[in-house]
Amino acid sequence: MLDISKLRNNFEEISKRIRTRNRPYEQLDEFKLIDTKWRKATTQLQKLNADRNALSNQIGELIKNNKITEVNKIKTKVQKLKIRIEKLSIQQAKLDKQLKEIVFSIPNIPDKSVPLGKDENDNVEIRKWGEPTKFDFKPLTHWELAEKLDLADFERASKLSGSRHTVFKKDGAKLLRAIRDFTLDMHVKKASYIELQPPVLINPDILYGTGHLPKSKEDMFETMNGQFLSPTEEVPLTGYYRNEIIDEKQLPIHLTASTVSFRSEAGSAGKDVRGVIRQHQFYNTEMVCICKPEQSMDELEKMTSECEAVLKALEIPYRVITLCTGDMGSAAIKTYDVEVWFPCNEKYREISSCSNCDDYQARGSMIKYRDSKTKKTEFVHTLNGTGTSLNRLWVAIIENYQLHDGSIRIPDKLRKYFDNQEFIK
């Protein structure tokens, strides 16, 4: 969530920058309206309390001088003021609650370095690695390869759980497990991340803290007891430190996890209906960084390079783009997407997204550190990155590594997970 005081005192400038996200954000106007009422109530309360205190101070002097009649008159005035103060305090508390609810629905302020734009067409490519894979035969789609080599069962998955589900099987399941272990090994062994295995059932206060509620409720699965299935591992990894003050010496903290996530894919009807690109249940290896404010932009570059390192090791062509203001997630101030080459689509598609959320999630989750010099507590900055979407990496491997006979060459770095097997046939 945003800093209410910062928004209140710099409303016009902040509103202008937030609206570069290419949405009207009526809640900004609602905030201004409610905030005006809150300020008025606060000013009135301050005056009423000052008047009551002044009258109360007179009572002592009047009692000393035995002016009982005047004392009773002032007590009557004080009692009336007390009733007015109580009513106005209730009104102010109600307005304060409304302000906090509104602020939870307002997105973060885009960094000034983020390109202005309406949607994905205005994103800016900043670098590429590798050449798009070319074949001397017509390549098969990943679902055609999966069916031919018995790597996944879409029909029975639909019987079990409905559309947008997959049963990975045989070498397909083994490949998913291999890339899961490989990505974790890259982050833990190479980049010294701390590995966690968090629960997938998440309390709503954690989702409010990370900015996923109330904005993305329609895209999540809610359980009967009011908890939610994790929409991304960013949520439990960030929420892990909720309501804590972290020792400054521990910062920056780097966490990683690879587990299952769930999304309803609201609004995606007709998109990627075949294969495993867009699923209700999917697998990611996620990274989260918790750091001091002055470290966060450098950490964003570092996190992105760690995502790239995975793809370089697997020799899969990719590019890195900076998302424009209109395409960023609501909690981010700046985001890099890493997109891999999918031969059958003949285009790059997102496989990783790395975002700097500055103190937006930390403020919502109350995660602070104590500054060793000032001894004051300050909000940390949080970053998150999909180390890789394992579903999409699975697709990228079998499509880019397919051979003319319909088999798949296993990337060199993954063969140790296959007992040095070279091909999936």
Side-chain angles (χ1 to χ4, degrees):
M1 63 180 286
L2 292 175
D3 181 343
I4 291 181
S5 297
K6 184 178 178 181
L7 179 58
R8 175 179 291 136
N9 298 327
N10 303 277
F11 182 81
E12 296 304 326
E13 180 191 348
I14 290 174
S15 295
K16 184 178 178 180
R17 286 174 62 188
I18 288 176
R19 285 187 167 118
T20 63
R21 290 174 172 270
N22 196 37
R23 292 175 184 82
Y25 291 117
E26 294 89 349
Q27 57 266 53
L28 284 166
D29 299 320
E30 189 180 358
F31 174 88
K32 188 174 183 179
L33 179 65
I34 301 298
D35 188 53
T36 299
K37 293 179 181 179
W38 180 88
R39 289 190 194 207
K40 184 179 178 181
T42 301
T43 302
Q44 289 176 335
L45 265 177
Q46 289 171 344
K47 184 179 185 308
L48 290 174
N49 277 310
D51 290 346
R52 184 180 66 174
N53 291 338
L55 288 171
S56 296
N57 290 336
Q58 290 179 31
I59 291 174
E61 290 298 319
L62 291 170
I63 290 174
K64 284 181 184 178
N65 297 318
N66 202 29
K67 296 181 178 181
I68 304 303
T69 302
E70 292 183 36
V71 167
N72 290 333
K73 287 180 181 179
I74 291 176
K75 282 184 175 180
T76 301
K77 288 181 180 180
V78 169
Q79 186 61 30
K80 288 180 179 179
L81 282 174
K82 183 181 178 183
I83 293 170
R84 289 177 64 190
I85 288 169
E86 287 175 352
K87 288 182 178 179
L88 197 55
S89 294
I90 292 170
Q91 182 186 343
Q92 187 206 38
K94 185 178 178 181
L95 291 168
D96 189 61
K97 183 181 178 182
Q98 285 180 280
L99 282 177
K100 288 176 180 175
E101 288 173 352
I102 294 168
V103 168
F104 268 114
S105 68
I106 297 174
N108 209 346
I109 307 163
D111 188 73
K112 292 179 180 179
S113 66
V114 174
L116 299 178
K118 294 182 179 180
D119 53 35
E120 61 183 12
N121 296 311
D122 295 320
N123 294 338
V124 178
E125 181 183 296
I126 55 177
R127 59 181 172 270
K128 279 183 178 177
W129 185 89
E131 293 295 325
T133 309
K134 291 183 171 36
F135 300 100
D136 57 5
F137 59 92
K138 184 180 179 181
L140 299 177
T141 63
H142 74 275
W143 60 84
E144 289 172 327
L145 288 162
E147 289 173 354
K148 181 176 181 178
L149 298 172
D150 203 21
L151 305 180
D153 193 325
F154 304 110
E155 187 175 334
R156 288 191 177 94
S158 181
K159 178 177 67 177
L160 290 171
S161 306
S163 62
R164 295 192 187 275
H165 287 90
T166 300
V167 173
F168 295 92
K169 58 187 295 193
K170 298 182 179 177
D171 278 346
K174 198 170 186 178
L175 177 61
L176 188 68
R177 176 159 51 91
I179 57 179
R180 173 187 181 274
D181 290 349
F182 176 71
T183 52
L184 276 176
D185 287 345
M186 287 286 287
H187 299 321
V188 174
K189 295 178 181 179
K190 300 283 186 182
S192 300
Y193 275 64
I194 299 167
E195 182 180 352
L196 301 182
Q197 189 69 32
V200 296
L201 275 175
I202 307 296
N203 292 328
D205 59 341
I206 301 296
L207 289 153
Y208 274 103
T210 56
H212 290 76
L213 282 177
K215 305 179 194 72
S216 303
K217 186 174 183 179
E218 66 172 5
D219 205 27
M220 290 188 281
F221 290 102
E222 185 174 4
T223 66
M224 293 179 69
N225 68 351
Q227 291 179 303
F228 292 82
L229 295 178
S230 176
T232 167
E233 285 315 292
E234 160 203 344
V235 173
L237 291 184
T238 304
Y240 185 65
Y241 285 100
R242 179 176 172 81
N243 292 332
E244 291 190 28
I245 298 173
I246 301 170
D247 186 341
E248 184 184 15
K249 294 177 183 178
Q250 290 183 264
L251 300 176
I253 295 171
H254 299 96
L255 304 174
T256 187
S258 189
T259 187
V260 62
S261 299
F262 303 86
R263 287 183 195 164
S264 68
E265 292 295 340
S268 67
K271 296 179 181 178
D272 300 308
V273 292
R274 298 197 68 179
V276 303
I277 293 289
R278 200 180 295 272
Q279 301 268 280
H280 291 312
Q281 175 179 313
F282 56 95
Y283 307 88
N284 283 341
T285 298
E286 192 80 19
M287 300 182 293
V288 158
C289 175
I290 297 171
C291 64
K292 293 191 289 186
E294 63 270 22
Q295 298 171 323
S296 64
M297 279 304 183
D298 287 340
E299 288 292 338
L300 177 60
E301 300 296 331
K302 180 182 175 186
M303 183 175 282
T304 306
S305 70
E306 285 156 3
C307 294
E308 293 179 69
V310 171
L311 299 175
K312 286 178 180 177
L314 296 174
E315 300 182 80
I316 297 175
Y318 70 86
R319 69 173 183 169
V320 180
I321 61 173
T322 304
L323 298 194
C324 71
T325 50
D327 199 31
M328 280 199 306
S330 62
I333 63 165
K334 187 171 186 177
T335 298
Y336 292 125
D337 270 9
V338 182
E339 300 181 338
V340 296
W341 178 254
F342 284 165
C344 294
N345 295 124
E346 293 191 332
K347 66 179 182 180
Y348 292 95
R349 299 195 63 171
E350 177 200 339
I351 198 168
S352 176
S353 191
C354 298
S355 298
N356 183 353
C357 299
D358 68 10
D359 67 358
Y360 187 87
Q361 293 179 324
R363 191 175 296 278
S365 302
M366 290 303 293
I367 307 172
K368 296 184 175 184
Y369 76 99
R370 191 176 301 280
D371 188 286
S372 59
K373 294 180 181 178
T374 65
K375 306 303 179 184
K376 294 180 180 179
T377 58
E378 307 286 350
F379 286 106
V380 298
H381 278 197
T382 66
L383 300 92
N384 62 79
T386 313
T388 49
S389 162
L390 300 188
N391 290 44
R392 295 192 177 197
L393 184 54
W394 189 90
V395 171
I397 288 171
I398 68 173
E399 285 197 1
N400 280 281
Y401 277 87
Q402 63 180 295
L403 302 173
H404 69 280
D405 62 356
S407 62
I408 299 165
R409 183 169 69 84
I410 298 171
D412 293 346
K413 296 292 185 180
L414 298 183
R415 289 179 187 172
K416 65 180 180 180
Y417 303 100
F418 279 83
D419 297 323
N420 295 319
Q421 179 181 329
E422 293 183 36
F423 300 97
I424 296 174
K425 297 183 179 181

